[in-house]
Amino acid sequence: MAESTARRLEPDMSGTPGQNAELSETSWGRSSSRSAKPSRRRESISHTAIVNGAIDVLDREGLDALSMRHLAEVLGIGAASLYWHVGSKDGLLDLVLDQVVGETKIPEPDPDRWQDQLKDVARAQRAMSLRHPWFVRVTLGRIPIGPNSLRHSEHVLAILRAAGIPSHVAVQGYLLLVSAVNGFTIDETGVEDSPNVIDLPRDGETRQHSAEMARDYLAALPPSQFPNMTSLADEFALADTDERFELLIDTFVAGLARHVTKS
Amino acid sequence: MAESTARRLEPDMSGTPGQNAELSETSWGRSSSRSAKPSRRRESISHTAIVNGAIDVLDREGLDALSMRHLAEVLGIGAASLYWHVGSKDGLLDLVLDQVVGETKIPEPDPDRWQDQLKDVARAQRAMSLRHPWFVRVTLGRIPIGPNSLRHSEHVLAILRAAGIPSHVAVQGYLLLVSAVNGFTIDETGVEDSPNVIDLPRDGETRQHSAEMARDYLAALPPSQFPNMTSLADEFALADTDERFELLIDTFVAGLARHVTKS
DNA sequence: ACCTGAACACCGTTCAAGT
DNA sequence: ACCTGAACACCGTTCAAGT
């Protein structure tokens, strides 16, 4: 019950330490609290421990399981203590999101490869949302303004600008890309929460089963009223999400490419 | 406090009565409950009244305000009574969503105008999400399977098929369109809940203000680390959502058009 | 067939009080 | 400076009991 502050660093953060300090206290990997002088006294629960604990709970128990009371219990402190550190659950979720955004690395702009680079950015965003199935739902009402989020935006914009896309289209296109990917992954992550539960048999089986249920349901509709739904029931139920995602970024990037100013 | 079951039918439902009966008890505009014989006894709170009451609460008080207890109070019944009719809050939300989807009308397929028709479908979906700012957030984990949702899918697919788009691409494209529009409107509706509150001064002002705040925030970033964010601060903060939406459906429809089989 | 009050097991947040 | 227990005002849902 006290082993939950570790394990947060598997994905891509390695090799890039300290890249996100000094911009805000929303930083990661340091135990610095909001004052500059090193905290004496006996440790006190750190910002980092709280954020990583929250991510742990989210990843393994799902979004619904993250209550301030439960998180406090996991961390071994009183529920009210959390409020001294993060102000509110909303504030905590802001920190959590920025932390997780920091997992994704964006490459240096290469003007000749901008289309592939942009697709990779989209794929990385989707992969992150699948690693943390709660991410998109938490992101909803929020405007991401943490240091990692800002860096992310900066780097993607750099790619678009280097490609020769006019600034106006670059900004609109970037915003569009993010929302389109989010919209896409919502459907993938919305139904099954907490995929890391105990030992749920790698639910290829479960997914398959519910897909067949859906297909049967659609196929059983009255064909006179639903000629397309019935004849396309297979396509609908068995639609490959990987393929669909590639279709998304393909058409999107192709659409943006029309705005590249020849030079 | 008893005047809340009316008013639900302004938008487009007029002139098309009874179009959604007989497919399921999720129907609208009838007081039929799940048995065929007409309900004698004194009225009993109807399915319709509950669903419309919920939509009323959602529209005027926001998503957070919709609790079973509050809805029951508005309807003048006990909270537990709701469960006899709708089973659970989740079940109620399914009915609510399908009801609201029924507001949108899809035109008959006209192969020569399919691109405009598809764009109109997307615009109608966005408009509906803006009328009911809670819609996208409620839709998240759900697979819409009510009668109105099925009819909606059927009609959009008809347009795509009539255009000569291969069935596989048509299905993937349709799913993509829905999720892209949802992803887009999430950002528009996520922040401001319950826009119909008392007399909030038609928040063009509010919106303007927060946009300027965001612009100032971005512009104040260190230019050495954030050359693009700082130079594009205006574009970011003042980005026109209507224009961005048109950019979305433009590139999307153009992308789909590449798959039309010449005939 | 329908509706109820009361209860169960939760929430986020505040606040006086402790060290 | 940090942490706490207890309280406030809520949740969704169940269930025995009423008519």
Side-chain angles (χ1 to χ4, degrees), chain A residues 67-69 80 83 89:
Chain A
S67 72
M68 296 299 266
R69 284 172 158 94
Y83 285 85
K89 185 178 185 180

Side-chain angles (χ1 to χ4, degrees), chain A residues 26-41:
Chain A
T26 308
S27 66
W28 177 108
R30 304 214 158 303
S31 60
S32 72
S33 50
R34 72 249 296 140
S35 75
K37 52 187 158 187
S39 61
R40 335 171 266 100
R41 299 188 173 277

Side-chain angles (χ1 to χ4, degrees), chain A residues 11-12 59 103-104 124 126-134 195-196:
Chain A
D12 320 56
D59 281 345
E103 289 178 6
T104 300
R126 176 177 176 231
M128 189 265 280
S129 290
L130 295 179
R131 273 200 304 275
H132 306 294
W134 41 269
N196 302 356

Side-chain angles (χ1 to χ4, degrees), chain B residues 104 107 113 115-125 249:
Chain B
T104 300
R113 294 188 59 254
Q115 300 201 21
D116 283 335
Q117 287 192 317
L118 204 59
K119 289 181 186 179
D120 281 340
V121 167
R123 293 189 189 104
Q125 190 190 334
I249 58 183

Side-chain angles (χ1 to χ4, degrees), chain B residues 71-253:
Chain B
L71 174 57
E73 187 191 21
V74 166
L75 294 173
I77 61 178
S81 305
L82 284 175
Y83 286 84
W84 195 92
H85 293 279
V86 295
S88 67
K89 186 178 184 180
D90 232 59
L92 171 59
L93 289 177
D94 283 337
L95 300 179
V96 162
L97 284 183
D98 198 62
Q99 163 80 338
V100 156
V101 167
E103 289 178 6
T104 300
K105 291 279 91 63
I106 312 283
E108 291 300 306
D110 176 352
D112 294 335
R113 294 188 59 254
W114 75 269
Q115 300 201 21
D116 283 335
Q117 287 192 317
L118 204 59
K119 289 181 186 179
D120 281 340
V121 167
R123 293 189 189 104
Q125 190 190 334
R126 176 177 177 232
M128 190 264 281
S129 290
L130 294 179
R131 273 200 304 276
H132 306 294
W134 41 269
F135 179 84
V136 195
R137 273 170 297 163
V138 174
T139 233
L140 292 200
R142 269 159 244 277
I143 299 162
I145 213 161
N148 288 332
S149 303
L150 290 176
R151 238 184 319 266
H152 182 89
S153 301
E154 174 67 25
H155 287 146
V156 179
L157 280 178
I159 292 174
L160 288 167
R161 297 300 309 278
I165 295 181
S167 60
H168 187 72
V169 182
V171 169
Q172 297 281 41
Y174 168 64
L175 295 172
L176 229 37
L177 179 66
V178 172
S179 72
V181 173
N182 278 342
F184 186 93
T185 46
I186 279 173
D187 293 334
E188 287 189 290
T189 61
V191 181
E192 45 179 324
D193 209 0
S194 59
N196 301 356
V197 266
I198 322 293
D199 255 319
L200 199 126
R202 219 64 215 108
D203 57 307
E205 188 190 349
T206 306
R207 195 188 311 251
Q208 184 70 20
H209 182 65
S210 66
E212 282 169 16
M213 293 250 306
R215 198 237 343 249
D216 294 347
Y217 180 84
L218 296 179
L221 254 26
S224 56
Q225 287 182 62
F226 298 97
N228 290 295
M229 294 300 279
T230 48
S231 68
L232 300 178
D234 280 17
E235 302 274 17
F236 246 92
L238 279 42
D240 181 1
T241 55
D242 287 344
E243 181 207 320
R244 182 158 73 250
F245 188 77
E246 291 299 318
L247 177 60
L248 169 65
I249 58 183
D250 245 48
T251 71
F252 185 84
V253 170

Side-chain angles (χ1 to χ4, degrees), chain A:
Chain A
M1 215 178 231
E3 36 66 70
S4 49
T5 48
R7 115 122 70 40
R8 201 76 292 295
L9 14 159
E10 318 109 332
D12 320 56
M13 292 302 288
S14 58
T16 55
Q19 66 153 339
N20 41 0
E22 92 255 358
L23 223 174
S24 138
E25 61 277 19
T26 308
S27 66
W28 177 108
R30 304 214 158 303
S31 60
S32 72
S33 50
R34 72 249 296 140
S35 75
K37 52 187 158 187
S39 61
R40 335 171 266 100
R41 299 188 173 277
R42 64 93 163 66
E43 287 300 288
S44 96
I45 184 85
S46 73
H47 230 157
T48 315
I50 294 176
V51 172
N52 289 341
I55 294 177
D56 255 15
V57 169
L58 287 165
D59 281 345
R60 64 217 306 193
E61 302 183 62
L63 180 54
D64 290 342
L66 185 75
S67 72
M68 296 299 266
R69 284 172 158 94
H70 181 52
L71 174 58
E73 188 191 21
V74 167
L75 295 173
I77 61 177
S81 305
L82 283 175
Y83 285 85
W84 195 92
H85 293 279
V86 296
S88 68
K89 185 178 185 180
D90 233 58
L92 172 58
L93 288 178
D94 282 338
L95 299 179
V96 162
L97 284 184
D98 199 62
Q99 163 81 341
V100 156
V101 167
E103 289 178 6
T104 300
K105 291 279 90 61
I106 311 284
E108 290 301 305
D110 176 353
D112 295 335
R113 293 188 59 255
W114 74 269
Q115 300 202 21
D116 283 335
Q117 287 191 316
L118 203 59
K119 290 182 185 178
D120 282 340
V121 167
R123 292 189 190 104
Q125 191 190 334
R126 176 177 176 231
M128 189 265 280
S129 290
L130 295 179
R131 273 200 304 275
H132 306 294
W134 41 269
F135 178 83
V136 196
R137 273 170 297 166
V138 173
T139 234
L140 292 201
R142 268 160 246 278
I143 298 161
I145 212 163
N148 288 332
S149 303
L150 290 176
R151 240 185 316 267
H152 182 90
S153 300
E154 174 66 27
H155 287 146
V156 179
L157 280 178
I159 292 174
L160 288 167
R161 297 300 308 279
I165 296 181
S167 61
H168 187 72
V169 181
V171 170
Q172 296 283 41
Y174 168 64
L175 295 172
L176 231 36
L177 179 66
V178 171
S179 73
V181 173
N182 277 343
F184 187 94
T185 46
I186 279 173
D187 293 333
E188 287 189 290
T189 61
V191 180
E192 45 179 324
D193 208 0
S194 59
N196 302 356
V197 267
I198 323 292
D199 254 320
L200 198 127
R202 219 63 215 108
D203 57 309
E205 190 189 349
T206 305
R207 193 188 311 252
Q208 185 70 19
H209 183 65
S210 66
E212 282 169 15
M213 293 251 307
R215 197 232 349 243
D216 293 347
Y217 180 84
L218 295 179
L221 254 26
S224 56
Q225 286 182 62
F226 298 96
N228 291 295
M229 294 300 279
T230 48
S231 68
L232 299 178
D234 282 16
E235 302 273 18
F236 246 92
L238 279 43
D240 181 1
T241 55
D242 287 345
E243 181 207 321
R244 182 157 74 250
F245 188 77
E246 291 298 318
L247 177 60
L248 169 65
I249 58 184
D250 245 48
T251 71
F252 186 83
V253 171
L256 269 192
R258 297 182 303 180
H259 294 92
V260 173
T261 57
K262 310 290 173 68
S263 66

